Amino acid sequence: MQQLTITRPDDWHLHLRDGKLLETTVPASAQTFKRAVVMPNLMPPVTTVDMALAYRQRIIEALPAALTFEPLMALYLTAETSADEVKKAAQHPHIIGFKLYPSGATTNSAAGIKSVEALAPVLEVMQEQQVPLLVHGEVTDADIDIFDREKVFIDRHLLPITTQFPQLRLVLEHITTGDAVDFVNGSNDNVAATITPQHLLMNRNDLLVGGVKPHNYCLPILKRREHQLRLQQAALSGSSKFFLGTDSAPHVKANKETACGCAGCYSAPAALELYAEFFDQHKALDKLENFASVNGAAFYGFERNQQTVTLIRKPWSLPASLDTADGVIVPYYAGQSLQWQMTKHR
């Protein structure tokens, strides 16, 4: 196969940041994706509908006129989130749901949740209003090994939540373990998961062998090979419970290459090509369209996009770095070759 045309995809987990950096991040995603769920972990966090709509307007203002793009805004769930705010979010077409960050789990998560159990009243309203809960599924206890934090979060928090609130629509974001695959497969149809390109293409060897590689550092952290294989099997299975969410997260080079480097891989410049690389490696390009363009829209209740995108088999390499208003950013897969290139929309 030398050419592949699929329904234009959506990115169900995306970080755009804010300010002048939007002039880089918005076009990078909009050139490929029709819709994207925009994460709310700014400083200060996006905790209300009004804040989310103001942020959305800044994103729209950074969108080149030639591109069509629909930002779907996630609100940052806090201990102060009210039932009224949930109901307000439920009524607005540009709000997709609430994002649960355990406090300290990732970038700008200090305002996150310290007691998942205390969320029960708000989760009750979210279930009633059919407002999705998007979950960064890791505990942050200092005594829990970083490679076990996803499994512990599932056992300690997600299993009780899905038992207590069986009609709550829940997306476990950027899954990294076989335990997460088993949780999603073992749950009802209200539970789904996103998978990033880095967790399909890499494992912890790619982070640690031969020296720490900070531009492959993300949270949840890359896991061992056996977990990577389980994620690959999930993506290749054709199950509608698993779909594309890049978790593309830009950080300037100076902040990545430090003693306490930032977590996040900026995959937006080649997002669809990275997924095509994975599916092609496994001789499963026929599975790419459902994973990238169908499953997520169906879960969230959206119509399938009418546009298409075309990929051609044409080897190319990502640039070593990108200049932005905030400084130099090293993209995920920098300098490495990809076999597929997106050429056009229709």
Side-chain angles (χ1 to χ4, degrees):
M1 182 184 294
Q2 299 301 311
Q3 181 173 303
L4 177 67
T5 297
I6 65 171
T7 301
R8 189 177 176 190
D10 303 303
D11 187 348
W12 299 102
H13 185 123
L14 176 65
H15 297 269
L16 292 172
R17 309 306 186 205
D18 206 354
K20 296 290 285 183
L21 190 57
L22 293 176
E23 296 174 5
T24 294
T25 59
V26 172
S29 289
Q31 68 184 351
T32 299
F33 299 107
K34 175 63 168 64
R35 294 174 287 230
V37 174
V38 180
M39 294 295 108
N41 57 330
L42 304 182
M43 290 294 285
V46 180
T47 56
T48 68
V49 170
D50 290 345
M51 291 176 72
L53 296 180
Y55 179 29
R56 186 178 190 275
Q57 183 58 36
R58 297 195 295 275
I59 293 168
I60 295 298
E61 290 170 358
L63 180 66
L67 298 177
T68 58
F69 183 62
E70 183 179 354
L72 300 167
M73 312 307 292
L75 302 188
Y76 196 115
L77 189 64
T78 73
E80 286 73 45
T81 299
S82 68
D84 286 344
E85 198 67 36
V86 173
K87 292 175 182 177
K88 186 176 179 180
Q91 298 304 311
H92 206 289
H94 298 317
I95 306 299
I96 195 74
F98 283 80
K99 180 65 182 280
L100 191 165
Y101 289 105
S103 181
T106 190
T107 303
N108 297 341
S109 62
I113 298 300
K114 296 180 179 178
S115 172
V116 175
E117 291 71 26
L119 293 174
V122 169
L123 297 183
E124 180 70 45
V125 179
M126 291 179 66
Q127 176 176 250
E128 173 189 300
Q129 297 290 319
Q130 285 293 283
V131 175
L133 176 67
L134 319 181
V135 180
H136 182 118
E138 293 187 286
V139 297
T140 56
D141 309 54
D143 61 333
I144 303 296
D145 190 290
I146 191 170
F147 293 103
D148 296 329
R149 288 180 174 183
E150 185 173 85
K151 172 178 169 44
V152 173
F153 189 93
I154 291 168
D155 293 343
R156 186 181 293 176
H157 300 301
L158 288 190
L159 287 171
I161 284 175
T162 53
T163 298
Q164 186 175 359
F165 304 104
Q167 299 307 310
L168 177 66
R169 300 184 64 74
L170 186 150
V171 180
L172 183 53
E173 304 279 18
H174 44 48
I175 61 171
T176 65
T177 62
D179 307 283
V181 172
D182 290 339
F183 165 74
V184 173
N185 279 330
S187 299
N188 65 30
D189 290 343
N190 292 316
V191 176
T194 59
I195 310 179
T196 74
Q198 64 265 26
H199 290 107
L200 290 171
L201 292 167
M202 292 184 173
N203 58 60
R204 64 187 186 181
N205 281 358
D206 298 289
L207 174 65
L208 300 172
V209 171
V212 175
K213 300 173 180 63
H215 298 287
N216 292 343
Y217 172 52
C218 58
L219 289 173
I221 200 166
L222 295 169
K223 303 300 195 298
R224 62 190 307 138
R225 172 68 172 158
E226 65 190 60
H227 289 296
Q228 180 193 15
L229 289 173
R230 293 295 311 283
L231 298 182
Q232 292 177 343
Q233 290 165 4
L236 296 167
S237 71
S239 169
S240 62
K241 282 176 162 282
F242 302 99
F243 42 84
L244 184 155
T246 64
D247 194 22
S248 179
H251 294 281
V252 296
K253 180 178 180 180
N255 290 339
K256 288 287 286 182
E257 297 179 3
T258 65
C260 52
C262 297
C265 298
Y266 184 49
S267 58
L272 186 59
E273 291 92 335
L274 287 160
Y275 284 108
E277 186 84 5
F278 162 72
F279 281 94
D280 192 26
Q281 287 174 0
H282 294 269
K283 304 186 187 310
L285 280 169
D286 60 311
K287 302 288 182 67
L288 175 61
E289 184 174 43
N290 280 349
F291 180 83
S293 312
V294 177
N295 296 346
F299 179 84
Y300 279 109
F302 288 95
E303 294 292 327
R304 189 167 169 171
N305 293 324
Q306 297 301 304
Q307 292 177 299
T308 61
V309 297
T310 297
L311 293 152
I312 60 171
R313 190 182 294 276
K314 182 180 180 181
W316 64 292
S317 296
L318 273 83
S321 63
L322 303 168
D323 291 325
T324 78
D326 284 6
V328 172
I329 290 178
V330 177
Y332 177 64
Y333 242 62
Q336 298 186 61
S337 178
L338 291 170
Q339 300 306 303
W340 290 89
Q341 188 168 13
M342 197 183 78
T343 62
K344 60 183 178 181
H345 291 170
R346 183 173 62 81

